[in-house]
């Protein structure tokens, strides 16, 4: 009787048909044109479904919110000349090395914060996120963030809690499944107070990707080895590479201007070539 009861009542979860759900989400959001059509690749729809645990209605709402945000904010139209002032100190830049899995790395240096404009900081970071996505290798969808706290102090020039919250909101809401890992490298104790405040706004899945790393700490060294090839990682982050990571604003600006041309060509290309199925962008 026990075996019969189990056979009648035990629920066995059936695996989700992800490809079918991607098609259902595409139908649910309806016909798209222009930028929205090119943005909504199958890979993009998959990321939104993953971010909402494959709940179709929640993924649809999240994607629709992003499409509205992109229509108004136009992140793909931001050019380096518009955010260059924010980047003069090198507070955020794309590294000249990748992580162990070939993903681009954004290096952030809160100690080099140079402006007090919250919106300027957000716009500058959005620009660099879009730039990192543009430079993703084929088959790769994520990037890594390496946040270096050298020179950090809780003074007026550092990012304020509201700006940090705005950054969290933009990245979580409009760039789902784009972050592989966030390394907080050598954060001072004074940062803990700010982190406690902003952690309330961090999605649980994103929170698990945040790693506190400290020099000469055995566990931290293993974390860095698992995500970075130490032969290519600069010495200042515990690696063996002996190249100069000093930020050169002139050289970085040249690189960004070149990428702006590449970005413009991509978004201005014939939308009919993609039919929403290209894997090359968001």
């Amino acid at each position: 009787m026990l075996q019969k009861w189990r056979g009648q009542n035990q629920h066995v979860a059936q695996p989700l048909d992800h490809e079918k759900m991607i098609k259902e989400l595409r139908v649910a959001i309806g016909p798209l044109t222009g930028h929205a059509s090119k943005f909504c690749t199958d890979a993009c729809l998959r990321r939104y479904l993953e971010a909402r645990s494959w709940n179709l209605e929640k993924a649809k709402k999240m994607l629709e919110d992003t499409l509205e945000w992109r229509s108004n904010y136009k992140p793909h139209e931001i050019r380096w000349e518009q955010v260059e002032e924010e980047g003069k100190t090198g507070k955020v830049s794309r590294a000249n090395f990748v992580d162990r899995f070939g993903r681009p790395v954004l290096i952030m240096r809160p100690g080099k914060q140079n402006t007090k404009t919250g919106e300027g900081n957000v716009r500058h970071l959005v620009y660099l996120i879009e730039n990192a996505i543009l430079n993703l290798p084929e088959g790769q969808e994520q990037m890594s963030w390496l946040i270096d706290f050298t020179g950090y102090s809780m003074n007026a020039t550092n990012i304020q809690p509201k700006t940090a919250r705005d950054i969290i909101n933009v990245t979580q809401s409009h760039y789902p499944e784009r972050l592989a890992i966030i390394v907080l490298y050598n954060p001072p104790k004074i940062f803990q107070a700010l982190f406690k405040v902003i952690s309330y706004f961090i999605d649980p899945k994103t929170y698990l990707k945040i790693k506190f790393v400290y020099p000469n700490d055995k566990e931290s060294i293993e974390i860095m080895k698992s995500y970075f090839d130490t032969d290519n990682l600069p010495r200042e982050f515990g690696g063996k590479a002996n190249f100069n990571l000093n930020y050169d604003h002139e050289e970085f600006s040249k690189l960004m201007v070149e990428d702006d041309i590449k970005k413009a060509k991509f978004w201005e290309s014939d939308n009919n070539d993609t039919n929403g199925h290209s894997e090359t962008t968001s």
Side-chain angles (χ1 to χ4, degrees):
M1 289 293 293
L2 180 60
Q3 291 296 326
K4 182 178 180 181
W5 180 85
R6 282 180 175 172
Q8 289 177 337
N9 295 279
Q10 186 176 21
H11 175 70
V12 178
Q14 296 297 317
L16 294 173
D17 186 337
H18 290 173
E19 297 307 315
K20 180 182 178 182
M21 293 194 69
I22 290 171
K23 292 178 181 178
E24 290 177 350
L25 178 55
R26 188 171 296 287
V27 171
I29 60 177
L32 300 170
T33 59
H35 174 80
S37 176
K38 193 151 194 176
F39 177 78
C40 290
T41 63
D42 284 357
C44 173
L45 269 56
R46 179 185 291 274
R47 285 192 296 275
Y48 279 80
L49 283 162
E50 287 180 352
R52 290 296 177 259
S53 302
W54 295 90
N55 182 299
L56 184 63
E57 287 303 315
K58 290 182 178 180
K60 176 176 178 287
K61 175 65 168 57
M62 185 184 193
L63 181 54
E64 288 175 339
D65 288 346
T66 291
L67 291 176
E68 182 178 359
W69 175 77
R70 292 187 73 89
S71 177
N72 295 324
Y73 200 84
K74 302 185 185 305
H76 58 293
E77 294 184 5
I78 303 173
R79 298 295 181 259
W80 177 244
E81 63 182 15
Q82 299 169 329
V83 296
E84 182 181 0
E85 185 65 29
E86 293 284 346
K88 283 187 173 180
T89 59
K91 63 185 176 186
V92 186
S93 62
R94 198 178 81 226
N96 56 355
F97 61 91
V98 296
D99 71 8
R100 184 175 289 278
F101 307 96
R103 297 178 292 226
V105 178
L106 286 187
I107 296 182
M108 304 179 186
R109 303 181 188 273
K112 293 184 178 293
Q113 178 62 29
N114 61 326
T115 66
K116 299 179 182 180
T117 58
E119 175 53 33
N121 277 283
V122 174
R123 195 167 180 81
H124 177 235
L125 180 58
V126 165
Y127 170 86
L128 287 168
I129 291 174
E130 292 279 324
N131 177 268
I133 292 172
L134 181 73
N135 286 282
L136 285 171
E138 185 176 356
Q140 184 56 262
E141 299 183 28
Q142 295 184 313
M143 68 192 76
S144 294
W145 285 8
L146 183 49
I147 305 178
D148 178 16
F149 282 86
T150 300
Y152 176 86
S153 63
M154 292 285 284
N155 59 44
T157 62
N158 283 123
I159 286 185
Q160 301 302 303
K162 181 183 182 303
T163 302
R165 186 178 63 190
D166 290 343
I167 288 172
I168 291 169
N169 179 59
V170 166
T171 53
Q172 289 183 165
S173 300
H174 306 308
Y175 295 96
E177 300 302 316
R178 283 302 194 184
L179 280 175
I181 183 176
I182 304 171
V183 174
L184 304 181
Y185 194 81
N186 201 25
K189 289 184 178 180
I190 196 170
F191 171 75
Q192 301 296 329
L194 174 61
F195 185 76
K196 285 182 179 179
V197 173
I198 64 177
S199 64
Y200 289 103
F201 305 100
I202 300 175
D203 179 88
K205 290 180 69 175
T206 302
Y207 189 88
L208 293 175
K209 298 177 181 180
I210 299 174
K211 309 296 181 183
F212 282 75
V213 171
Y214 300 91
N216 304 317
D217 175 78
K218 186 176 181 180
E219 185 177 345
S220 295
I221 292 172
E222 292 305 312
I223 289 174
M224 292 299 283
K225 284 182 178 179
S226 67
Y227 287 99
F228 299 93
D229 182 348
T230 54
D231 288 336
N232 297 324
L233 186 68
R235 292 182 183 276
E236 62 190 278
F237 296 122
K240 301 176 183 177
N242 196 25
F243 57 80
N244 187 357
L245 254 189
N246 290 335
Y247 177 72
D248 186 323
H249 184 67
E250 184 176 348
E251 287 301 313
F252 191 73
S253 294
K254 289 179 181 178
L255 179 64
M256 293 301 99
V257 171
E258 291 173 1
D259 280 353
D260 281 352
I261 296 172
K262 183 167 64 173
K263 178 166 60 177
K265 288 181 178 179
F266 175 81
W267 287 111
E268 292 169 4
S269 63
D270 188 357
N271 290 320
N272 294 326
D273 289 342
T274 65
N275 279 328
H277 296 284
S278 169
E279 299 296 316
T280 59
T281 188
S282 257

